[in-house]
Amino acid sequence: LLAVRPPLKDALAQQSWSTLPKLQTDPNALAGLKLPGWGALKLALPTRGNGDASYLVGEAVASASAPNGAPATAGIGAVNTLLSGQPKLDDNELNTAIDAMVNASDPATAPVHAVATTEQQLFARAATMSDAKSDIAGWLPPGPTAVADYPTVLLAGDWLSQEQVTAASEFSRALRKPEQLEELAKAGFRAEGTTAP
């Protein structure tokens, strides 16, 4: 999803993954969404401290931008457009991008308007803020979205010891217990049978 300032979330309501590249490169794009003075969308796609979120956004943009019936690779031009228009920051860290967005006194002139991230990372960051609801929000564009999933797996193979196979099985089983799922939910992850905080 994208971490955004709350006014931008409302303005993006009718947008999608496929419209992000044009919003990123059109210097008056956000004025057309009733945000005068905002200019183009300044979407940061950090790759450090951000898991695979920026890559997943690229996949979603490619898939949504590809002609109907064509493979997602046909949308690579849209991804390149999105990348070429991202704001220039001191580094490619998630925290640098979010700081540039939320620490600006005026959201319209902030160096960053939106940041590609995961739902869990947005939750973790918002949990550290004193007034998160007025400073940051999450927007998930409609359409196909790649998912950052961190599953546990059972191991098999004659090159593994019985201890390795058993440890992986026990770890997977332990994480599926209701009290562990509740802890995952408290950390901002979606967990089966729980309500996200």
Side-chain angles (χ1 to χ4, degrees):
L1 56 77
L2 302 183
V4 297
R5 294 298 293 261
L8 184 56
K9 178 181 179 178
D10 296 335
L12 292 172
Q14 301 304 313
Q15 302 304 306
S16 68
W17 291 114
S18 66
T19 61
L20 292 179
K22 182 168 177 23
L23 293 173
Q24 181 91 308
T25 55
D26 179 349
N28 294 312
L30 297 182
L33 300 180
K34 299 182 181 159
L35 289 176
W38 283 62
L41 175 66
K42 299 172 191 165
L43 170 59
L45 298 151
T47 56
R48 297 187 64 199
N50 200 26
D52 290 334
S54 292
Y55 301 110
L56 298 174
V57 165
E59 289 179 26
V61 168
S63 179
S65 300
N68 206 9
T73 54
I76 196 71
V79 177
N80 289 334
T81 300
L82 190 68
L83 286 169
S84 69
Q86 72 175 317
K88 306 296 181 233
L89 299 172
D90 291 339
D91 58 43
N92 211 7
E93 294 280 343
L94 173 63
N95 285 333
T96 301
I98 291 183
D99 287 346
M101 182 178 68
V102 299
N103 292 340
S105 58
D106 180 6
T109 59
V112 173
H113 292 145
V115 180
T117 192
T118 64
E119 192 174 60
Q120 190 279 327
Q121 289 166 314
L122 175 61
F123 171 81
R125 178 59 184 257
T128 68
M129 300 170 72
S130 60
D131 191 18
K133 286 188 180 189
S134 64
D135 291 332
I136 196 167
W139 178 62
L140 181 61
T145 304
V147 176
D149 192 8
Y150 304 100
T152 60
V153 295
L154 300 178
L155 300 178
D158 54 7
W159 62 90
L160 298 167
S161 71
Q162 185 58 41
E163 290 81 14
Q164 291 171 314
V165 172
T166 302
S169 175
E170 288 299 317
F171 180 70
S172 183
R173 202 171 300 129
L175 283 183
R176 287 179 172 70
K177 292 182 179 178
E179 60 274 11
Q180 295 304 321
L181 291 172
E182 199 60 45
E183 287 301 312
L184 286 171
K186 285 180 191 173
F189 290 98
R190 291 183 186 205
E192 189 177 322
T194 64
T195 302

